Amino acid sequence: MYRVKQLDTTVNLAGFSRWLNGQGVTHQITEEGGFQVLWLEDPAHAEPVLSALDRFMAEPEIREAVDRQNRSPVFVGGRWQPSPRHAPLVLGIIVFAVAMVWLTAMGQNELAASLMVIDPRDYDWSTMAGRIDALTATLASGQIWRLLTPDFLHFSWTHIIFNSVMLWFLGSQIEWFDGRARLITLFVITSLISNGLQYFVSGPLFGGLSGVVYGILGYCWLSQRSAPRFQFPPALVTFAVAWMVIGFTPLPEMIGLGRMANEAHLGGFIAGLALAVVLPVRRRRGA
């Protein structure tokens, strides 16, 4: 253990300690000579933990948020553990996406074509002009749903499982803390931007909830900085961004993962960041 901070015993660190546990930060708080000492197992955590502690002590709203989190029924032992009743909308999206994996035979039948931005069999989409004409004709015919339905096309069980786990972990927190209207707004806007960008770059042969997941991650990360309420390890953002960058290299195809929907990931992430800036943080639930 590494000694990182000494404080007066009048400072109540119980709530902060529970919050650290929820973030997966191994630590101890001991008493020595009338003071309490904060110890960390990993010295790399020292700077972010000390920064968080300064905010915890200086800003009452931060302490209130941590206290609400500790008392919330969706936090068990300081960790986010919701049940289906806490995020029914997210659960419904996941169930529908899993059902579509089966109904579309993992994107291999005619139903899959009806979920793509355009029907690839009906148009020449090999050029940008062709893609614009195809999309214009498709939307003019009333098939507006195609702007969103690529979200529900997945081409492997690994694909849908990863997206579902991430959507449940992060999306359920948005539904609980910020409300279903906020989650719907995030879902629709990140879908439109991520699907639109991917379509214009590569055509209609793509699908998945990854763009939405990246959008939700971007929203949670940036919105969290001004109003802490979500729980996720900081390394998750680093990993996701690194994986997005790797997707633009030949490496995924070299190791047999195929071509990734990189533009959808990028578009979703940027959309999530933008929504965190323009959407005000709503009052959070305490129980």
Side-chain angles (χ1 to χ4, degrees), residues 163 177 200 254:
N163 282 339
F177 289 110
F200 285 120
M254 290 172 57

Side-chain angles (χ1 to χ4, degrees), residues 189-190 193-194 197 211 215 244 262-272:
I189 293 179
T190 57
I193 294 177
S194 62
L197 183 59
M244 180 168 58
N262 303 307
E263 288 76 18
H265 298 168
L266 178 61
F269 190 67
I270 292 174

Side-chain angles (χ1 to χ4, degrees), residues 68-76 79-83 85-86 176 286-287:
R68 278 194 298 269
Q69 184 183 96
N70 291 330
R71 291 186 287 104
S72 174
V74 290
F75 285 91
V76 180
R79 295 184 181 276
W80 176 253
Q81 295 185 26
S83 68
R85 67 184 178 85
H86 294 127
W176 177 258

Side-chain angles (χ1 to χ4, degrees), residues 6-35:
Q6 179 175 290
L7 302 101
D8 192 90
T9 55
T10 59
V11 179
N12 186 355
L13 291 178
F16 185 72
S17 177
R18 288 192 291 270
W19 180 79
L20 286 179
N21 285 331
Q23 301 300 311
V25 177
T26 303
H27 68 286
Q28 288 183 0
I29 297 176
T30 63
E31 288 193 20
E32 296 181 6
F35 292 92

Side-chain angles (χ1 to χ4, degrees), residues 1-254:
M1 286 286 182
Y2 295 83
R3 185 189 189 103
V4 295
K5 186 74 171 181
Q6 179 175 290
L7 302 101
D8 192 90
T9 55
T10 59
V11 179
N12 186 355
L13 291 178
F16 185 72
S17 177
R18 288 192 291 270
W19 180 79
L20 286 179
N21 285 331
Q23 301 300 311
V25 177
T26 303
H27 68 286
Q28 288 183 0
I29 297 176
T30 63
E31 288 193 20
E32 296 181 6
F35 292 92
Q36 50 187 338
V37 181
L38 173 62
W39 304 76
L40 295 177
E41 182 177 70
D42 186 350
H45 291 151
E47 184 175 346
V49 166
L50 289 175
S51 176
L53 178 59
D54 288 341
R55 292 193 64 189
F56 178 82
M57 296 175 62
E59 302 177 34
E61 61 271 21
I62 300 295
R63 294 194 295 274
E64 292 171 5
V66 171
D67 183 59
R68 278 194 298 269
Q69 184 183 96
N70 291 330
R71 291 186 287 104
S72 174
V74 290
F75 285 91
V76 180
R79 295 184 181 276
W80 176 253
Q81 295 185 26
S83 68
R85 67 184 178 85
H86 294 127
L89 178 58
V90 173
L91 181 61
I93 292 171
I94 292 172
V95 169
F96 183 72
V98 171
M100 294 311 295
V101 171
W102 176 66
L103 292 173
T104 64
M106 290 189 180
Q108 301 301 313
N109 60 20
E110 291 190 8
L111 177 59
S114 71
L115 299 181
M116 296 178 184
V117 174
I118 64 166
D119 191 322
R121 302 166 299 181
D122 295 342
Y123 302 95
D124 176 11
W125 45 271
S126 59
T127 65
M128 178 62 73
R131 291 168 197 161
I132 293 174
D133 290 342
L135 180 59
T136 300
T138 298
L139 297 180
S141 69
Q143 301 178 64
I144 308 296
W145 72 82
R146 289 181 177 272
L147 297 174
L148 301 178
T149 50
D151 295 347
F152 300 102
L153 270 177
H154 290 84
F155 307 105
S156 71
W157 284 113
T158 302
H159 194 197
I160 182 61
I161 289 172
F162 177 80
N163 282 339
S164 296
V165 169
M166 292 298 297
L167 183 60
W168 175 252
F169 179 60
L170 294 173
S172 60
Q173 296 190 57
I174 295 175
E175 184 171 355
W176 177 258
F177 289 110
D178 291 359
R180 287 171 197 153
R182 175 64 52 86
L183 179 63
I184 292 172
T185 299
L186 280 164
F187 185 92
V188 171
I189 293 179
T190 57
S191 293
L192 292 174
I193 294 177
S194 62
N195 291 338
L197 183 59
Q198 186 66 51
Y199 170 73
F200 285 120
V201 171
S202 68
L205 304 181
F206 70 91
L209 284 162
S210 301
V212 173
V213 168
Y214 265 93
I216 285 176
L217 179 62
Y219 171 83
C220 287
W221 174 73
L222 189 55
S223 183
Q224 174 85 342
R225 298 175 72 86
S226 60
R229 60 206 185 277
F230 304 127
Q231 184 185 98
F232 56 90
L236 179 61
V237 180
T238 303
F239 170 81
V241 171
W243 183 246
M244 180 168 58
V245 172
I246 290 172
F248 283 94
T249 72
L251 182 59
E253 291 183 85
M254 290 172 57

